[in-house]
Amino acid sequence: MIFITAKFRVRPEHADRWPEITDEFTRATRGEPGCLWFDWSRSVDRPDEYVLVEAFRDGEAGAAHVRSEHFRKAQQALPGYLAETPRIVNAEVAQQDWSLLGELAVPEDRA
């Protein structure tokens, strides 16, 4: 799968509304057949920073995402809300879902 994590620094006056601002783009991306997940989180240390964790089935699905109409619309609309260019880590990994974090395993009788 293609695994991507990106950090978005949002202009402070838009930070509280970022989930609303990105809602259409988020819903459209989650609806793509090759999207495995597309999840936003807000930093607990920086209220103007959001982290996007996304994954696509393979390179073809990732390329289809970048070619989509909703991606082009986001390219036009979202920079106006940002304080700086987002930073990204993009890697291909040999799995299709999250692995369990064994070091913090929850006993079966509690799961």
Side-chain angles (χ1 to χ4, degrees), residues 76-97:
Q76 296 299 311
L78 297 184
Y81 297 98
L82 299 174
E84 65 185 27
T85 300
R87 291 162 287 144
I88 187 169
V89 175
N90 182 337
E92 188 168 344
V93 295
Q95 61 191 74
Q96 291 295 308
D97 202 353

Side-chain angles (χ1 to χ4, degrees), residues 37-53:
W37 59 80
F38 193 86
D39 298 320
W40 292 98
S41 296
R42 192 172 193 178
S43 171
V44 296
D45 297 321
R46 295 189 72 166
D48 66 337
E49 183 175 82
Y50 285 82
V51 176
L52 175 61
V53 180

